[in-house]
Amino acid sequence: MPPLDLGVLISGRGSNLQAILDAIADGRLDARVRLVLSNRPGVEGLARAERAGVPTRVIAHRDFADRDTFDAAAVDALRDAGATWVVLAGFMRLLTTTFLDAFPHRVVNIHPSLLPSFPGVDAQQQALDHGVRITGCTVHLVDAGTDTGPILAQAAVPVLDGDDHDTLAARILVQEHALLVRALSWIADGRLQVTPPAAPGGRARAAIAGVDTALGLANVDTALGLAQGGRAPEQVGEGA
Ligand code: GRF
């Protein structure tokens, strides 16, 4: 298969972009980043792209009257650059059907929770506020909802006693980088299968053929002290 031609959309730091660039550079991901597009000028992710010799564009959303015209400009820039897949890597804008229809089932997002829990902004703080013991990250295809599209892969991350936003976000981020690269490499291998909704208004499903797309479980086992022997059946259900 030819390499994936990626357009990567960012709004800030760009550490997920960096994970993609590193994976391409060392041969773990068969892809080319055709364009890094930021809706904010001067962000760290743009500098990362420039260091890697990747083309960049800034299309500032504030310069556009509405979401549709911003999205149309983004589509034009991505198409001109030769991108046929789009990765949202910390891109903090919702996309309209103007954008999504231009790349059907080809827009991938990384989100820092186990969706459908904690969609939207600051998923890590939402997880802390709810007191969940296990959270994680999700790679999914983007639809017109907020973090509602078909799930491709997830990684579990334990919430530890004493965690605050920053410690939890940092632990999740390690898994984000691994999961995003892994999911993109499965797509590059041609393993992605999308099943349209069975009925109008229903939910599309996505699957990755032939691989285990649930990652990070060993991290949770380690946090629970179960790492060596896998699950401890006698403890399951304790206190229920
Ligand atoms: C990540 O946690 C990503 O999941 C979320 O925003 C953050 C972006 O980080 N959508 P970075 O810009 O990739 O470093």
Side-chain angles (χ1 to χ4, degrees):
M1 292 191 57
L4 290 183
D5 286 316
L6 301 177
V8 183
L9 271 54
I10 62 168
S11 297
R13 178 179 55 185
S15 70
N16 279 288
L17 165 67
Q18 189 70 58
I20 293 170
L21 294 169
D22 291 348
I24 292 172
D26 67 21
R28 280 175 293 128
L29 176 59
D30 188 19
R32 299 174 286 215
V33 178
R34 295 294 202 171
L35 183 67
V36 170
L37 194 163
S38 175
N39 65 314
R40 294 209 180 103
V43 296
E44 191 183 345
L46 289 167
R48 293 178 191 270
E50 280 155 19
R51 280 201 295 275
V54 164
T56 61
R57 282 278 300 272
V58 175
I59 300 183
H61 62 274
R62 292 181 198 286
D63 294 344
F64 293 82
D66 54 36
R67 287 185 189 278
D68 275 317
T69 50
F70 170 82
D71 281 9
V75 168
D76 286 347
L78 290 161
R79 283 188 170 149
D80 287 350
T84 57
W85 285 84
V86 177
V87 183
L88 309 185
F91 181 69
M92 305 304 281
R93 303 272 303 165
L94 292 178
L95 294 171
T96 67
T97 51
T98 298
F99 190 101
L100 297 173
D101 290 351
F103 299 98
H105 301 309
R106 284 180 166 223
V107 183
V108 175
N109 185 41
I110 175 79
H111 181 78
S113 74
L114 293 177
L115 293 170
S117 290
F118 316 136
V121 294
D122 214 345
Q124 301 94 336
Q125 191 60 47
Q126 292 185 56
L128 288 170
D129 291 346
H130 278 80
V132 298
R133 292 294 184 262
I134 299 171
T135 183
C137 53
T138 302
V139 173
H140 66 96
L141 297 179
V142 176
D143 66 12
T146 302
D147 302 319
T148 52
I151 289 170
L152 302 187
Q154 294 186 304
V157 174
V159 181
L160 303 182
D161 288 346
D163 262 344
D164 59 20
H165 174 278
D166 290 353
T167 58
L168 180 59
R171 191 176 310 114
I172 295 172
L173 196 62
V174 172
Q175 297 298 314
E176 288 186 44
H177 297 162
L179 190 72
L180 181 58
V181 166
R182 202 84 74 88
L184 292 172
S185 72
W186 291 328
I187 293 172
D189 287 346
R191 292 175 183 269
L192 173 63
Q193 300 164 342
V194 181
T195 311
R203 183 171 281 283
R205 295 285 301 269
I208 304 284
V211 288
D212 184 357
T213 58
L215 306 184
L217 300 174
N219 302 324
V220 174
D221 281 353
T222 302
L224 295 174
L226 305 179
Q228 291 299 314
R231 311 286 186 287
E234 69 278 9
Q235 292 182 5
V236 172
E238 228 176 45

